[in-house]
Amino acid sequence: MNCLHSNGLSEQFLSDNLTSLTCDGAATMLGKHKGIGALFCQKFPSIIVWHCANHRLELSVSDVIKSVSGVSRFKSFIDKLYVVYHVSPKNSRELRNCANLLEAEILKIGRVLSTRWVASSFRSVSAVWESYEALVQHFKEASNDTTRDNKERSTFSGLLNKITDTNFILDLGLMADALQELSELSEALQHCNADLSYANRKLQIVVALFEERKTTPGIYSKIAQEAVDNLSFFSVPLQTKAGRVNDQLKYFTEH
C-alpha cells in the first residue's frame, strides 16, 4: 500500500476505482492468508482477484511437458541446439555461414518451453523448421571436422542422427502446429482490451481446434508426414528408427 500511496494513489481513490487485481500464481501474490490478493481483499472486499490467464496457459504447457515423454525429448534437443551455439563462438560463426536466421532465433530466444511465453518457443521451433537444411549441413561438417576432438565430433554426429530421424520430423511438425496455436492464444490473452469473456472464447476455440487435430493434422504435421513418407525433408534424406511410438500423437489422440 505504501508503494501505491507514494505514487499518488490514495486509499480513497483505490476504494472508489479499484475493481480487480490480476497476477501470477506465486504464493506472494495469491497466498490464501498473506498473499497480496488476500491483503487487498481485506481492504477492498468488492475487488476481484484473478490468476493471470496467460500464466495459467504457461503452467498448462508445463504440465504437458512433464507428462508426455516425447515432448521432453523434443525440448531437450532444442535446448541442446541452444547450448551448442550459445557457448561456442566457433559454432556461432559456422552457423552464421549456414543460416543467419537460425543463429538470430536460437541465440535471441534461447530454450523452448521453459520460462518464456509460448510465442517465443514457436519462433525458435519455426527457426529450426526454416533452417533445417542448413542445420543438417553444419552438423555434417562439424562431425567430420578434424580440428575438433572426438567428443565434439561425436556430439555433432549424434545431433545429425537425431535431426534426420523420422520421429523427430513428426515431433517437429506436431510441435510447430501446437505452438503456433498456443502462441496466437498467448498473444490474444496479452491484449490490453482482453476481458474474461474474450479470453474464454479464445480458449474454447483452441480447445475445439485441438480436438479436431486428433483426426485432422495441422499444416506442419501434414508436411512432416509427407516428408516421412518420402524419407526426405527439404531435400535431406531421412532415416527411420523402429521401436518408438510418436508419443505426442498418442497423447493428443487419447486425451
Side-chain angles (χ1 to χ4, degrees), residues 4-249:
L4 294 174
H5 293 163
S6 65
N7 283 278
L9 301 177
S10 67
E11 194 158 330
Q12 184 60 50
F13 177 86
L14 292 171
S15 179
D16 293 339
N17 296 279
L18 183 63
T19 59
S20 64
L21 171 67
T22 302
C23 52
D24 65 30
T28 302
M29 303 303 297
L30 293 182
K32 185 176 181 180
H33 300 293
K34 295 185 178 181
I36 298 298
L39 297 177
F40 264 61
C41 284
Q42 292 175 12
K43 282 187 170 292
F44 313 108
S46 63
I47 70 167
I48 298 173
V49 178
W50 191 256
H51 185 177
C52 171
N54 224 336
H55 189 251
R56 288 185 177 188
L57 173 63
E58 297 299 324
L59 292 176
S60 298
V61 172
S62 178
D63 287 343
V64 172
I65 296 171
K66 294 175 183 177
S67 61
V68 184
S69 59
V71 177
S72 297
R73 284 194 293 267
F74 180 85
K75 179 182 182 301
S76 295
F77 179 77
I78 302 300
D79 285 350
K80 179 66 174 179
L81 291 184
Y82 168 77
V83 171
V84 164
Y85 293 115
H86 183 72
V87 302
S88 170
K90 178 181 179 180
N91 290 337
S92 296
R93 287 194 301 270
E94 292 176 351
L95 179 62
R96 192 176 301 116
N97 294 331
C98 294
N100 289 328
L101 173 62
L102 183 62
E103 178 201 41
E105 292 290 351
I106 290 294
L107 295 182
K108 180 180 179 181
I109 302 301
R111 296 175 172 85
V112 299
L113 301 172
S114 55
T115 57
R116 294 181 178 272
W117 295 132
V118 288
S120 295
S121 295
F122 176 61
R123 286 192 290 270
S124 289
V125 171
S126 296
V128 174
W129 179 283
E130 296 295 335
S131 301
Y132 179 83
E133 189 174 6
L135 263 178
V136 171
Q137 182 61 34
H138 183 229
F139 292 163
K140 287 180 178 178
E141 293 176 359
S143 63
N144 293 308
D145 185 356
T146 56
T147 65
R148 298 176 182 270
D149 59 30
N150 290 335
K151 183 178 180 180
E152 280 188 297
R153 292 200 299 272
S154 178
T155 295
F156 281 101
S157 179
L159 291 172
L160 178 61
N161 287 333
K162 174 68 175 179
I163 204 171
T164 55
D165 181 4
T166 53
N167 280 310
F168 174 77
I169 300 303
L170 293 174
D171 291 347
L172 182 63
L174 184 61
M175 292 302 297
D177 279 329
L179 287 172
Q180 182 180 41
E181 300 301 335
L182 292 173
S183 171
E184 292 176 1
L185 174 60
S186 176
E187 291 175 347
L189 294 177
Q190 295 176 55
H191 196 279
C192 62
N193 293 325
D195 56 21
L196 293 181
S197 177
Y198 172 85
N200 183 62
R201 290 198 303 272
K202 290 294 184 180
L203 285 167
Q204 293 304 318
I205 290 172
V206 173
V207 169
L209 182 61
F210 278 10
E211 286 288 339
E212 182 182 342
R213 288 288 180 263
K214 293 179 180 180
T215 56
T216 306
I219 183 63
Y220 287 102
S221 292
K222 289 179 180 178
I223 295 173
Q225 185 61 61
E226 182 178 346
V228 169
D229 292 341
N230 296 324
L231 289 179
S232 177
F233 188 54
F234 287 110
S235 301
V236 174
L238 302 178
Q239 55 181 329
T240 300
K241 293 182 180 179
R244 181 168 79 82
V245 176
N246 188 266
D247 293 325
Q248 294 99 306
L249 289 175

